[in-house]
Amino acid sequence: MSWAVNWISNIGAATINRITVFGRATLMLIGAIIAKPQPAKLIPLTIKQLYVVGVQSLLIIIVSGLFIGMVMALQGYTILVGYGAEGSLGPMVALSLLRELGPVVTALLFAGRAGSALTAEIGLMKATEQLSSLEMMAVDPLRRVIAPRLWAGIIAMPMLALIFSAVGILGGHLVGVDWLGVDYGSYWSIMQSTVDWNKDVMNGVIKSIVFAFVVTWIATFKGYDSVPTSEGISKATTETVVFSSLAVLGLDFILTALMFGIE
Amino acid sequence: MKSRKVELLVGIFVLLTIGAGLLLALKVANQSMSGVSESYTLYAKFDNIGGLKARSAVKVGGVTIGRVESITLDQDDYTPVVAMTISTQYNAFPETSSVAILTSGLLGEQYIGFQPGFSIDGIENLAEGDYIEDTKSALVLEELIGQFLFGNNDN
Amino acid sequence: MENLIEINNLTFRRSGRLIYDDISINIVKGKTTAIMGPSGIGKTTMLRLMGGQLLPDSGDVKFKGESIPNMSRKRLFEVRRQMSMLFQSGALFTDMTVFDNIAFPLREHTRLSESLIETIVMLKLQAVGLRGAAQLMPAELSGGMARRAALARAIALDPDMIMYDEPFAGQDPISMGVLVKLIKAFNDALQLTSVVVTHDVTEVMSIADYVYILAEKKVIGSGTPEQIRNSQSPLVQQFLEGKADGPVPFHYPADSVQQAFLGAEL
């Protein structure tokens, strides 16, 4: 009998542990975002973080977007040309990018590029007593360190996703029209008649905002909550990438079902 | 200063985003056709709309002049009613005009082909809210094949 | 003699382990108080308790008669402007220059003009002898210089009290001498109250007005450096002379050797 009791109490302990972690993460979020924002200080700090998480992620986003658009055009063309429907290449590339690949791939790249960096940076600030030192200087590290990073992440990722999709569509054009000879007019005009601003573009942006929030929250919290040793920080960084990738993929399914599932 | 460089690059980032947004809005989602420009609405009843959908194009000789706004079913005679928004740029179509549901290519999407009618005295132009009387339904492939195989007494 | 900080019957546990058992310490205003003890005794913890970063399980910490554990967060932040801490690592912000690091508390808590801030920062840097290093990044400083820069930041807002966390650890004799001189100079010139947590006996004995020695979760000795030197307590003497074994055992608590190596039948 005792193994059963152990097993059940293990489940209980794990559950309590998860809930405590979630509670700490929520407290951090409330402390950073909700409690009395100070725009005069927050805005310049957020702009600086926009540079770090946004501008420095631009290159990887543009290059990935370009190549994914090109690959999709190449793959799509070989399939569509079999049905004589290569004119539909435009909408295929555009819809896949706007609805799915733009938000999801951007979120995954962002988690790897900017999320892990955020976690490591905050973890190291904790390890080198910089967070403690802020507190002793009567400056709230949640507002000073966490809040600008959270905002910057939430703002930057949808921007990156838009750029990703646009570059991808241009990449598709490059391969589809310039290389494989799909008609220029049909690439754009069928795309135009198929893609809907609200349904496709805005839903993609909404997805991206949700992903941005989740990824940045996980990244900042993992750093803030890390064990301040080199081992602890490396674990926190890995967990940021793993957890936020899983969260993005899981949420993507739920959001897609809500947005496009029921018509 | 270092912070000026940061601000400059963040500014470029914002401009890039706006550029991407504009590209998506104008070239990809074609925001300019709906809403912003002036338009008027025409209606047409079809026996069968086939695969026509809201936002399908309305074309005259291949030139898009408007889009399908909505497709509803008439409660009295159970025929589909298609509402089309037509740009006011094209506002002088006579009442004798006809519309047909056509398909671009064998498997392409369906659109409304608008055939402007003849114009003589006593024929007014189509205006907001008018019904186009002369309509041709979508070709349904199965029916077509049926007609071909089993013959049709009318022909 | 007025007490700036009074610690009364403080008990503190961390993850179930008892760190302090019913400790009382007074920090006298305008004096230098040293808290000494072997490594791992939780001396840094004591500073965090004073700064309100940790809360005691029982007992009280009073700053100017006001109970720190019972303060609202807002009041605690106000009180913290009157104290500052020099962290062991220096804890300089690595993404700013030395100048911006020292200007940081001024920019956060005052509305001084940028030119006035520059003057103050340069004065503080002059005091620690690093005026020439204002535009360097923290990574470019040596350990001793980083600690001096951190000290300049700690005095930027002219606090009433500075807490030094192991200021001498890992310093070469010259930087150690510089730091000893600076701590003493600030204490004399600025009427600062200093709390020095350390295990470097000789350095701290030369500057401290009053000394507490912590070991075994208790205060094992206190008094002026003179009284401490003449203490009869074997614990105190072991610490001062650095004997390997004594009342503070060489071995971490474990089963008896016989049991561990020869089995239970003995």
Side-chain angles (χ1 to χ4, degrees), chain C residues 92-121:
Chain C
L92 292 170
F93 303 125
T94 40
D95 57 342
M96 308 178 186
T97 61
V98 170
F99 181 93
D100 288 330
N101 258 288
I102 291 148
F104 180 84
L106 295 164
R107 286 178 182 150
E108 279 295 319
H109 292 309
T110 67
R111 289 169 188 278
L112 301 175
S113 70
E114 218 25 56
S115 66
L116 194 52
I117 285 180
E118 190 181 339
T119 315
I120 298 174
V121 171

PDB file of all heavy atoms in Angstrom, chain C residues 92-121:
ATOM      1  N   LEU C  92      28.589  46.290  -9.551  1.00  0.00           N
ATOM      2  CA  LEU C  92      28.431  47.400 -10.496  1.00  0.00           C
ATOM      3  C   LEU C  92      27.563  46.921 -11.649  1.00  0.00           C
ATOM      4  O   LEU C  92      27.589  45.751 -12.014  1.00  0.00           O
ATOM      5  CB  LEU C  92      29.801  47.841 -11.022  1.00  0.00           C
ATOM      6  CG  LEU C  92      30.715  48.507 -10.001  1.00  0.00           C
ATOM      7  CD1 LEU C  92      32.108  48.659 -10.580  1.00  0.00           C
ATOM      8  CD2 LEU C  92      30.170  49.857  -9.577  1.00  0.00           C
ATOM      9  N   PHE C  93      26.768  47.838 -12.231  1.00  0.00           N
ATOM     10  CA  PHE C  93      25.952  47.463 -13.377  1.00  0.00           C
ATOM     11  C   PHE C  93      26.854  47.353 -14.589  1.00  0.00           C
ATOM     12  O   PHE C  93      27.479  48.318 -15.008  1.00  0.00           O
ATOM     13  CB  PHE C  93      24.838  48.484 -13.606  1.00  0.00           C
ATOM     14  CG  PHE C  93      23.982  48.651 -12.406  1.00  0.00           C
ATOM     15  CD1 PHE C  93      23.774  49.891 -11.846  1.00  0.00           C
ATOM     16  CD2 PHE C  93      23.394  47.542 -11.809  1.00  0.00           C
ATOM     17  CE1 PHE C  93      22.997  50.037 -10.714  1.00  0.00           C
ATOM     18  CE2 PHE C  93      22.612  47.681 -10.678  1.00  0.00           C
ATOM     19  CZ  PHE C  93      22.415  48.931 -10.131  1.00  0.00           C
ATOM     20  N   THR C  94      26.895  46.158 -15.153  1.00  0.00           N
ATOM     21  CA  THR C  94      27.901  45.886 -16.178  1.00  0.00           C
ATOM     22  C   THR C  94      27.596  46.573 -17.503  1.00  0.00           C
ATOM     23  O   THR C  94      28.450  46.637 -18.370  1.00  0.00           O
ATOM     24  CB  THR C  94      28.018  44.371 -16.410  1.00  0.00           C
ATOM     25  OG1 THR C  94      26.703  43.815 -16.374  1.00  0.00           O
ATOM     26  CG2 THR C  94      28.854  43.727 -15.334  1.00  0.00           C
ATOM     27  N   ASP C  95      26.354  47.061 -17.664  1.00  0.00           N
ATOM     28  CA  ASP C  95      26.035  47.682 -18.949  1.00  0.00           C
ATOM     29  C   ASP C  95      26.208  49.199 -18.931  1.00  0.00           C
ATOM     30  O   ASP C  95      25.797  49.871 -19.855  1.00  0.00           O
ATOM     31  CB  ASP C  95      24.605  47.310 -19.375  1.00  0.00           C
ATOM     32  CG  ASP C  95      23.583  47.705 -18.311  1.00  0.00           C
ATOM     33  OD1 ASP C  95      23.993  47.940 -17.164  1.00  0.00           O
ATOM     34  OD2 ASP C  95      22.392  47.793 -18.641  1.00  0.00           O
ATOM     35  N   MET C  96      26.796  49.744 -17.852  1.00  0.00           N
ATOM     36  CA  MET C  96      26.998  51.197 -17.802  1.00  0.00           C
ATOM     37  C   MET C  96      28.460  51.488 -17.492  1.00  0.00           C
ATOM     38  O   MET C  96      29.163  50.667 -16.923  1.00  0.00           O
ATOM     39  CB  MET C  96      26.190  51.828 -16.654  1.00  0.00           C
ATOM     40  CG  MET C  96      24.743  51.498 -16.603  1.00  0.00           C
ATOM     41  SD  MET C  96      24.078  52.323 -15.134  1.00  0.00           S
ATOM     42  CE  MET C  96      22.434  51.673 -15.154  1.00  0.00           C
ATOM     43  N   THR C  97      28.892  52.704 -17.834  1.00  0.00           N
ATOM     44  CA  THR C  97      30.241  53.114 -17.463  1.00  0.00           C
ATOM     45  C   THR C  97      30.297  53.340 -15.959  1.00  0.00           C
ATOM     46  O   THR C  97      29.272  53.396 -15.283  1.00  0.00           O
ATOM     47  CB  THR C  97      30.627  54.434 -18.153  1.00  0.00           C
ATOM     48  OG1 THR C  97      29.711  55.428 -17.706  1.00  0.00           O
ATOM     49  CG2 THR C  97      30.563  54.323 -19.656  1.00  0.00           C
ATOM     50  N   VAL C  98      31.524  53.469 -15.460  1.00  0.00           N
ATOM     51  CA  VAL C  98      31.714  53.750 -14.043  1.00  0.00           C
ATOM     52  C   VAL C  98      30.971  55.029 -13.669  1.00  0.00           C
ATOM     53  O   VAL C  98      30.267  55.099 -12.656  1.00  0.00           O
ATOM     54  CB  VAL C  98      33.225  53.886 -13.741  1.00  0.00           C
ATOM     55  CG1 VAL C  98      33.440  54.422 -12.335  1.00  0.00           C
ATOM     56  CG2 VAL C  98      33.912  52.543 -13.916  1.00  0.00           C
ATOM     57  N   PHE C  99      31.091  56.035 -14.539  1.00  0.00           N
ATOM     58  CA  PHE C  99      30.418  57.311 -14.274  1.00  0.00           C
ATOM     59  C   PHE C  99      28.915  57.108 -14.098  1.00  0.00           C
ATOM     60  O   PHE C  99      28.320  57.550 -13.126  1.00  0.00           O
ATOM     61  CB  PHE C  99      30.685  58.284 -15.432  1.00  0.00           C
ATOM     62  CG  PHE C  99      30.043  59.630 -15.241  1.00  0.00           C
ATOM     63  CD1 PHE C  99      30.746  60.673 -14.660  1.00  0.00           C
ATOM     64  CD2 PHE C  99      28.724  59.852 -15.623  1.00  0.00           C
ATOM     65  CE1 PHE C  99      30.149  61.911 -14.470  1.00  0.00           C
ATOM     66  CE2 PHE C  99      28.119  61.083 -15.429  1.00  0.00           C
ATOM     67  CZ  PHE C  99      28.835  62.117 -14.852  1.00  0.00           C
ATOM     68  N   ASP C 100      28.296  56.399 -15.052  1.00  0.00           N
ATOM     69  CA  ASP C 100      26.843  56.201 -14.997  1.00  0.00           C
ATOM     70  C   ASP C 100      26.434  55.357 -13.797  1.00  0.00           C
ATOM     71  O   ASP C 100      25.360  55.535 -13.236  1.00  0.00           O
ATOM     72  CB  ASP C 100      26.336  55.552 -16.292  1.00  0.00           C
ATOM     73  CG  ASP C 100      26.386  56.527 -17.450  1.00  0.00           C
ATOM     74  OD1 ASP C 100      26.248  57.731 -17.198  1.00  0.00           O
ATOM     75  OD2 ASP C 100      26.579  56.078 -18.588  1.00  0.00           O
ATOM     76  N   ASN C 101      27.308  54.419 -13.410  1.00  0.00           N
ATOM     77  CA  ASN C 101      27.028  53.619 -12.236  1.00  0.00           C
ATOM     78  C   ASN C 101      26.884  54.495 -10.998  1.00  0.00           C
ATOM     79  O   ASN C 101      25.984  54.302 -10.191  1.00  0.00           O
ATOM     80  CB  ASN C 101      28.175  52.625 -12.002  1.00  0.00           C
ATOM     81  CG  ASN C 101      27.813  51.241 -12.466  1.00  0.00           C
ATOM     82  OD1 ASN C 101      27.007  50.568 -11.845  1.00  0.00           O
ATOM     83  ND2 ASN C 101      28.386  50.836 -13.590  1.00  0.00           N
ATOM     84  N   ILE C 102      27.804  55.452 -10.865  1.00  0.00           N
ATOM     85  CA  ILE C 102      27.781  56.285  -9.662  1.00  0.00           C
ATOM     86  C   ILE C 102      26.677  57.323  -9.767  1.00  0.00           C
ATOM     87  O   ILE C 102      26.047  57.691  -8.776  1.00  0.00           O
ATOM     88  CB  ILE C 102      29.172  56.907  -9.442  1.00  0.00           C
ATOM     89  CG1 ILE C 102      30.120  55.766  -9.064  1.00  0.00           C
ATOM     90  CG2 ILE C 102      29.147  57.965  -8.353  1.00  0.00           C
ATOM     91  CD1 ILE C 102      31.500  55.958  -9.509  1.00  0.00           C
ATOM     92  N   ALA C 103      26.384  57.747 -11.000  1.00  0.00           N
ATOM     93  CA  ALA C 103      25.290  58.709 -11.188  1.00  0.00           C
ATOM     94  C   ALA C 103      23.931  58.045 -10.990  1.00  0.00           C
ATOM     95  O   ALA C 103      22.939  58.722 -10.739  1.00  0.00           O
ATOM     96  CB  ALA C 103      25.374  59.319 -12.577  1.00  0.00           C
ATOM     97  N   PHE C 104      23.911  56.703 -11.087  1.00  0.00           N
ATOM     98  CA  PHE C 104      22.634  55.983 -11.077  1.00  0.00           C
ATOM     99  C   PHE C 104      21.736  56.307  -9.876  1.00  0.00           C
ATOM    100  O   PHE C 104      20.587  56.719 -10.054  1.00  0.00           O
ATOM    101  CB  PHE C 104      22.901  54.474 -11.164  1.00  0.00           C
ATOM    102  CG  PHE C 104      21.665  53.645 -11.171  1.00  0.00           C
ATOM    103  CD1 PHE C 104      20.977  53.415 -12.346  1.00  0.00           C
ATOM    104  CD2 PHE C 104      21.166  53.084  -9.998  1.00  0.00           C
ATOM    105  CE1 PHE C 104      19.821  52.661 -12.350  1.00  0.00           C
ATOM    106  CE2 PHE C 104      20.012  52.332 -10.000  1.00  0.00           C
ATOM    107  CZ  PHE C 104      19.344  52.119 -11.187  1.00  0.00           C
ATOM    108  N   PRO C 105      22.238  56.154  -8.626  1.00  0.00           N
ATOM    109  CA  PRO C 105      21.340  56.472  -7.498  1.00  0.00           C
ATOM    110  C   PRO C 105      20.921  57.937  -7.487  1.00  0.00           C
ATOM    111  O   PRO C 105      19.799  58.252  -7.078  1.00  0.00           O
ATOM    112  CB  PRO C 105      22.168  56.117  -6.260  1.00  0.00           C
ATOM    113  CG  PRO C 105      23.544  55.898  -6.730  1.00  0.00           C
ATOM    114  CD  PRO C 105      23.514  55.611  -8.181  1.00  0.00           C
ATOM    115  N   LEU C 106      21.799  58.823  -7.958  1.00  0.00           N
ATOM    116  CA  LEU C 106      21.449  60.252  -7.989  1.00  0.00           C
ATOM    117  C   LEU C 106      20.320  60.494  -8.982  1.00  0.00           C
ATOM    118  O   LEU C 106      19.373  61.224  -8.717  1.00  0.00           O
ATOM    119  CB  LEU C 106      22.675  61.085  -8.383  1.00  0.00           C
ATOM    120  CG  LEU C 106      23.834  61.050  -7.392  1.00  0.00           C
ATOM    121  CD1 LEU C 106      25.109  61.559  -8.030  1.00  0.00           C
ATOM    122  CD2 LEU C 106      23.487  61.881  -6.164  1.00  0.00           C
ATOM    123  N   ARG C 107      20.448  59.857 -10.157  1.00  0.00           N
ATOM    124  CA  ARG C 107      19.417  60.057 -11.183  1.00  0.00           C
ATOM    125  C   ARG C 107      18.104  59.421 -10.763  1.00  0.00           C
ATOM    126  O   ARG C 107      17.034  59.914 -11.106  1.00  0.00           O
ATOM    127  CB  ARG C 107      19.875  59.448 -12.514  1.00  0.00           C
ATOM    128  CG  ARG C 107      20.946  60.287 -13.188  1.00  0.00           C
ATOM    129  CD  ARG C 107      21.423  59.629 -14.474  1.00  0.00           C
ATOM    130  NE  ARG C 107      22.484  60.438 -15.070  1.00  0.00           N
ATOM    131  CZ  ARG C 107      23.471  59.948 -15.798  1.00  0.00           C
ATOM    132  NH1 ARG C 107      23.524  58.652 -16.029  1.00  0.00           N
ATOM    133  NH2 ARG C 107      24.385  60.731 -16.310  1.00  0.00           N
ATOM    134  N   GLU C 108      18.192  58.316 -10.005  1.00  0.00           N
ATOM    135  CA  GLU C 108      16.961  57.644  -9.588  1.00  0.00           C
ATOM    136  C   GLU C 108      16.226  58.418  -8.511  1.00  0.00           C
ATOM    137  O   GLU C 108      15.012  58.496  -8.516  1.00  0.00           O
ATOM    138  CB  GLU C 108      17.282  56.240  -9.046  1.00  0.00           C
ATOM    139  CG  GLU C 108      17.490  55.190 -10.105  1.00  0.00           C
ATOM    140  CD  GLU C 108      16.229  54.912 -10.915  1.00  0.00           C
ATOM    141  OE1 GLU C 108      15.142  54.853 -10.320  1.00  0.00           O
ATOM    142  OE2 GLU C 108      16.345  54.779 -12.140  1.00  0.00           O
ATOM    143  N   HIS C 109      16.989  58.973  -7.563  1.00  0.00           N
ATOM    144  CA  HIS C 109      16.330  59.476  -6.358  1.00  0.00           C
ATOM    145  C   HIS C 109      16.351  60.986  -6.205  1.00  0.00           C
ATOM    146  O   HIS C 109      15.812  61.509  -5.256  1.00  0.00           O
ATOM    147  CB  HIS C 109      16.969  58.841  -5.120  1.00  0.00           C
ATOM    148  CG  HIS C 109      16.694  57.378  -5.007  1.00  0.00           C
ATOM    149  ND1 HIS C 109      15.425  56.876  -5.095  1.00  0.00           N
ATOM    150  CD2 HIS C 109      17.505  56.319  -4.845  1.00  0.00           C
ATOM    151  CE1 HIS C 109      15.480  55.554  -4.984  1.00  0.00           C
ATOM    152  NE2 HIS C 109      16.730  55.202  -4.845  1.00  0.00           N
ATOM    153  N   THR C 110      17.034  61.693  -7.086  1.00  0.00           N
ATOM    154  CA  THR C 110      17.050  63.150  -6.949  1.00  0.00           C
ATOM    155  C   THR C 110      16.638  63.766  -8.278  1.00  0.00           C
ATOM    156  O   THR C 110      16.573  63.086  -9.295  1.00  0.00           O
ATOM    157  CB  THR C 110      18.464  63.670  -6.598  1.00  0.00           C
ATOM    158  OG1 THR C 110      19.319  63.428  -7.714  1.00  0.00           O
ATOM    159  CG2 THR C 110      19.021  62.989  -5.372  1.00  0.00           C
ATOM    160  N   ARG C 111      16.356  65.064  -8.235  1.00  0.00           N
ATOM    161  CA  ARG C 111      16.019  65.769  -9.475  1.00  0.00           C
ATOM    162  C   ARG C 111      17.118  66.784  -9.795  1.00  0.00           C
ATOM    163  O   ARG C 111      16.835  67.873 -10.280  1.00  0.00           O
ATOM    164  CB  ARG C 111      14.682  66.491  -9.323  1.00  0.00           C
ATOM    165  CG  ARG C 111      13.524  65.546  -9.277  1.00  0.00           C
ATOM    166  CD  ARG C 111      12.262  66.272  -8.862  1.00  0.00           C
ATOM    167  NE  ARG C 111      11.174  65.344  -8.631  1.00  0.00           N
ATOM    168  CZ  ARG C 111      10.413  64.839  -9.600  1.00  0.00           C
ATOM    169  NH1 ARG C 111      10.622  65.188 -10.840  1.00  0.00           N
ATOM    170  NH2 ARG C 111       9.441  63.992  -9.329  1.00  0.00           N
ATOM    171  N   LEU C 112      18.345  66.417  -9.484  1.00  0.00           N
ATOM    172  CA  LEU C 112      19.445  67.344  -9.723  1.00  0.00           C
ATOM    173  C   LEU C 112      19.703  67.488 -11.217  1.00  0.00           C
ATOM    174  O   LEU C 112      19.419  66.588 -12.003  1.00  0.00           O
ATOM    175  CB  LEU C 112      20.713  66.821  -9.042  1.00  0.00           C
ATOM    176  CG  LEU C 112      20.614  66.635  -7.530  1.00  0.00           C
ATOM    177  CD1 LEU C 112      21.884  66.005  -6.996  1.00  0.00           C
ATOM    178  CD2 LEU C 112      20.347  67.960  -6.849  1.00  0.00           C
ATOM    179  N   SER C 113      20.256  68.646 -11.584  1.00  0.00           N
ATOM    180  CA  SER C 113      20.596  68.855 -12.997  1.00  0.00           C
ATOM    181  C   SER C 113      21.778  67.972 -13.363  1.00  0.00           C
ATOM    182  O   SER C 113      22.563  67.567 -12.513  1.00  0.00           O
ATOM    183  CB  SER C 113      20.947  70.313 -13.239  1.00  0.00           C
ATOM    184  OG  SER C 113      22.190  70.583 -12.624  1.00  0.00           O
ATOM    185  N   GLU C 114      21.898  67.700 -14.646  1.00  0.00           N
ATOM    186  CA  GLU C 114      22.946  66.811 -15.131  1.00  0.00           C
ATOM    187  C   GLU C 114      24.337  67.358 -14.779  1.00  0.00           C
ATOM    188  O   GLU C 114      25.242  66.599 -14.455  1.00  0.00           O
ATOM    189  CB  GLU C 114      22.774  66.668 -16.638  1.00  0.00           C
ATOM    190  CG  GLU C 114      23.018  65.314 -17.302  1.00  0.00           C
ATOM    191  CD  GLU C 114      22.859  64.058 -16.453  1.00  0.00           C
ATOM    192  OE1 GLU C 114      21.783  63.827 -15.855  1.00  0.00           O
ATOM    193  OE2 GLU C 114      23.824  63.300 -16.422  1.00  0.00           O
ATOM    194  N   SER C 115      24.500  68.680 -14.815  1.00  0.00           N
ATOM    195  CA  SER C 115      25.829  69.247 -14.533  1.00  0.00           C
ATOM    196  C   SER C 115      26.170  69.091 -13.050  1.00  0.00           C
ATOM    197  O   SER C 115      27.311  68.822 -12.688  1.00  0.00           O
ATOM    198  CB  SER C 115      25.883  70.713 -14.948  1.00  0.00           C
ATOM    199  OG  SER C 115      25.008  71.467 -14.144  1.00  0.00           O
ATOM    200  N   LEU C 116      25.159  69.237 -12.202  1.00  0.00           N
ATOM    201  CA  LEU C 116      25.397  69.061 -10.769  1.00  0.00           C
ATOM    202  C   LEU C 116      25.728  67.596 -10.474  1.00  0.00           C
ATOM    203  O   LEU C 116      26.634  67.290  -9.695  1.00  0.00           O
ATOM    204  CB  LEU C 116      24.149  69.504  -9.995  1.00  0.00           C
ATOM    205  CG  LEU C 116      24.321  69.698  -8.483  1.00  0.00           C
ATOM    206  CD1 LEU C 116      25.491  70.612  -8.203  1.00  0.00           C
ATOM    207  CD2 LEU C 116      23.047  70.267  -7.896  1.00  0.00           C
ATOM    208  N   ILE C 117      24.998  66.701 -11.133  1.00  0.00           N
ATOM    209  CA  ILE C 117      25.269  65.270 -10.953  1.00  0.00           C
ATOM    210  C   ILE C 117      26.706  64.965 -11.351  1.00  0.00           C
ATOM    211  O   ILE C 117      27.426  64.262 -10.645  1.00  0.00           O
ATOM    212  CB  ILE C 117      24.272  64.430 -11.779  1.00  0.00           C
ATOM    213  CG1 ILE C 117      22.900  64.439 -11.099  1.00  0.00           C
ATOM    214  CG2 ILE C 117      24.771  62.990 -11.930  1.00  0.00           C
ATOM    215  CD1 ILE C 117      21.840  63.649 -11.795  1.00  0.00           C
ATOM    216  N   GLU C 118      27.150  65.575 -12.450  1.00  0.00           N
ATOM    217  CA  GLU C 118      28.512  65.312 -12.897  1.00  0.00           C
ATOM    218  C   GLU C 118      29.518  65.753 -11.836  1.00  0.00           C
ATOM    219  O   GLU C 118      30.475  65.041 -11.538  1.00  0.00           O
ATOM    220  CB  GLU C 118      28.781  66.021 -14.227  1.00  0.00           C
ATOM    221  CG  GLU C 118      30.097  65.555 -14.815  1.00  0.00           C
ATOM    222  CD  GLU C 118      30.440  66.234 -16.126  1.00  0.00           C
ATOM    223  OE1 GLU C 118      29.520  66.752 -16.779  1.00  0.00           O
ATOM    224  OE2 GLU C 118      31.636  66.224 -16.468  1.00  0.00           O
ATOM    225  N   THR C 119      29.262  66.929 -11.260  1.00  0.00           N
ATOM    226  CA  THR C 119      30.168  67.422 -10.220  1.00  0.00           C
ATOM    227  C   THR C 119      30.213  66.450  -9.047  1.00  0.00           C
ATOM    228  O   THR C 119      31.295  66.080  -8.562  1.00  0.00           O
ATOM    229  CB  THR C 119      29.679  68.796  -9.706  1.00  0.00           C
ATOM    230  OG1 THR C 119      29.341  69.588 -10.827  1.00  0.00           O
ATOM    231  CG2 THR C 119      30.742  69.457  -8.871  1.00  0.00           C
ATOM    232  N   ILE C 120      29.029  66.017  -8.592  1.00  0.00           N
ATOM    233  CA  ILE C 120      28.988  65.112  -7.439  1.00  0.00           C
ATOM    234  C   ILE C 120      29.710  63.805  -7.755  1.00  0.00           C
ATOM    235  O   ILE C 120      30.542  63.328  -6.976  1.00  0.00           O
ATOM    236  CB  ILE C 120      27.523  64.821  -7.027  1.00  0.00           C
ATOM    237  CG1 ILE C 120      26.838  66.115  -6.598  1.00  0.00           C
ATOM    238  CG2 ILE C 120      27.480  63.794  -5.899  1.00  0.00           C
ATOM    239  CD1 ILE C 120      25.368  65.963  -6.307  1.00  0.00           C
ATOM    240  N   VAL C 121      29.428  63.250  -8.935  1.00  0.00           N
ATOM    241  CA  VAL C 121      30.043  61.976  -9.302  1.00  0.00           C
ATOM    242  C   VAL C 121      31.557  62.115  -9.324  1.00  0.00           C
ATOM    243  O   VAL C 121      32.280  61.258  -8.802  1.00  0.00           O
ATOM    244  CB  VAL C 121      29.512  61.500 -10.673  1.00  0.00           C
ATOM    245  CG1 VAL C 121      30.311  60.305 -11.162  1.00  0.00           C
ATOM    246  CG2 VAL C 121      28.047  61.149 -10.587  1.00  0.00           C
TER     247      VAL C 121
END
